[in-house]
């Protein structure tokens, strides 16, 4: 599936529900804001026309909302966490949008130091550093962890020339129930297709999507090469390894993959009602 450019230019994190309604049709991805997102997560969003940022669900410390896995480029087996120290004002019940950075400046400095340590010897360091500098600016703009995480994804999407639209789930009406809520969010965008990763496929009830006339399309990334650690490592690692051109080519390959698989009979999407 090649990403289309039917919508407005990439929205900033300040986009609001007062914007004009999304143009009907197209593909949506729904995902929590992830800090320096994994390659597989970025690929799914890149393949969509809309990214609905799932910011009004419970924050999970063991997830990727405030941390990323990175490694020295020449020693990928030495992966470690780069984490943003985060305060949860409402304890475990804190929503993603309400989680706060404990120390913005320290988080900024630690991020800069960790990324430079891992990737400054890359021959593509100039590209990585350009992304890093834009990611670092968000720490001075907000103390919300989700803002910094969302911005880090948007910077990478901008690098890839993505022309989709970013909308936050907290600004959209949706019913309760995991699958029902996802179907409602997809419907609000006017999307006709919902991209679902391997994790979501394990629990997703296709019924609400069928009832809304929204096709559920599995999104499976390629295997091997830069994709071998795509569900664990930050996409920044791939950018450091391949540079901007190779990085964009890898994401374009993943975006085409669902349509190619369907033509070969490798995917059987959920049927429409």
């Amino acid at each position: 599936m090649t990403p289309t450019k039917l919508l407005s230019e990439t929205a900033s994190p300040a986009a609001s529900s007062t914007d004009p309604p999304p143009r009907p049709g197209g593909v949506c991805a729904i995902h929590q804001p992830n800090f320096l997102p994994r390659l597989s997560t970025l690929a799914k969003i890149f393949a969509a026309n809309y990214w609905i940022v799932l910011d009004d669900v419970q924050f999970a410390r063991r997830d990727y909302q405030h941390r990323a896995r990175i490694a020295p480029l020449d020693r990928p087996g030495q992966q470690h966490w780069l984490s943003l120290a985060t305060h949860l004002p409402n304890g475990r019940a804190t929503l993603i949008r309400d989680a706060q950075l404990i120390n913005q400046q320290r988080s900024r400095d630690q991020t800069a130091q960790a990324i430079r340590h891992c990737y400054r010897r890359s021959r593509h360091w100039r590209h990585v550093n350009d992304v890093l500098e834009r990611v670092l600016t968000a720490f001075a703009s907000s103390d919300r962890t989700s803002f910094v995480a969302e911005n880090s994804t948007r910077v990478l999407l901008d690098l890839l020339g993505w022309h989709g639209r970013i909308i936050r789930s907290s600004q959209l009406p949706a019913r309760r129930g995991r699958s029902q809520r996802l179907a409602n969010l997809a419907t609000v965008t006017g999307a006709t297709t919902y991209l679902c990763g391997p994790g979501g496929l394990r629990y997703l009830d296709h019924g609400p999507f069928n009832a809304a006339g929204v096709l559920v399309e599995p999104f499976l990334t390629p295997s091997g090469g830069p994709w071998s650690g795509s569900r664990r490592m930050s996409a920044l690692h791939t950018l450091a390894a391949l540079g901007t051109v190779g990085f964009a080519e890898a994401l374009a390959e993943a975006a085409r993959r669902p349509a190619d698989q369907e033509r070969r009979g490798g995917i059987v999407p959920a049927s429409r009602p």
Side-chain angles (χ1 to χ4, degrees):
M1 174 192 312
T2 303
T4 57
K5 299 183 179 181
L6 300 176
L7 307 178
S8 60
E9 294 183 353
T10 306
S12 72
S16 71
S17 57
T18 59
D19 291 340
R23 183 173 177 173
V27 179
C28 81
I30 304 174
H31 207 282
Q32 303 97 330
N34 281 187
F35 181 54
L36 296 174
R38 293 163 289 169
L39 186 62
S40 60
T41 300
L42 184 68
K44 183 173 70 170
I45 297 172
F46 178 69
N49 301 114
Y50 331 109
W51 172 30
I52 301 178
V53 182
L54 199 61
D55 67 341
D56 56 353
V57 296
Q58 186 175 324
F59 184 92
R61 284 200 180 275
R62 298 177 65 86
D63 211 330
Y64 291 82
Q65 295 148 17
H66 68 307
R67 59 183 188 167
R69 292 189 71 87
I70 59 175
L73 193 57
D74 58 345
R75 300 187 299 278
Q78 296 184 12
Q79 298 179 23
H80 60 276
W81 289 109
L82 167 58
S83 301
L84 305 177
T86 297
H87 168 62
L88 304 182
N90 299 314
R92 293 182 61 185
T94 301
L95 301 181
I96 291 174
R97 66 186 180 194
D98 298 325
Q100 300 172 337
L101 296 172
I102 292 175
N103 186 315
Q104 291 165 259
Q105 187 60 47
R106 181 178 298 174
S107 291
R108 182 192 185 281
D109 293 345
Q110 288 176 339
T111 297
Q113 181 180 3
I115 297 303
R116 288 167 183 156
H117 173 75
C118 285
Y119 304 121
R120 69 177 181 271
R121 293 183 179 86
S122 164
R123 64 190 181 96
H124 301 297
W125 168 245
R126 178 174 60 84
H127 305 152
V128 177
N129 191 53
D130 287 346
V131 169
L132 174 61
E133 291 301 319
R134 290 189 60 195
V135 169
L136 294 178
T137 61
F139 288 94
S141 301
S142 175
D143 68 346
R144 300 300 169 120
T145 303
S146 62
F147 180 91
V148 174
E150 180 184 323
N151 178 72
S152 72
T153 302
R154 184 170 58 88
V155 168
L156 289 166
L157 290 171
D158 285 348
L159 178 70
L160 293 163
W162 187 70
H163 283 261
R165 181 170 175 180
I166 299 174
I167 313 169
R168 297 198 188 104
S169 61
S170 57
Q171 299 166 339
L172 302 174
R175 294 166 58 187
R176 294 181 180 273
R178 183 183 286 184
S179 296
Q180 181 65 63
R181 186 162 187 267
L182 293 175
N184 287 159
L185 290 173
T187 302
V188 167
T189 67
T192 54
T193 302
Y194 165 67
L195 290 183
C196 187
L201 289 172
R202 288 195 289 268
Y203 69 77
L204 196 74
D205 175 6
H206 288 208
F209 290 88
N210 289 335
V214 176
L215 184 72
V216 175
E217 185 170 284
F219 185 81
L220 308 175
T221 55
S223 59
W227 299 98
S228 57
S230 64
R231 296 186 65 189
R232 290 173 57 82
M233 291 279 281
S234 168
L236 210 57
H237 190 91
T238 306
L239 175 61
L242 301 181
T244 301
V245 174
F247 185 59
E249 289 175 349
L251 271 291
E253 176 192 6
R256 290 190 298 266
R257 186 174 173 82
D260 292 344
Q261 286 184 321
E262 186 176 341
R263 283 194 294 270
R264 293 195 303 267
I267 288 179
V268 180
S271 60
R272 294 183 182 277

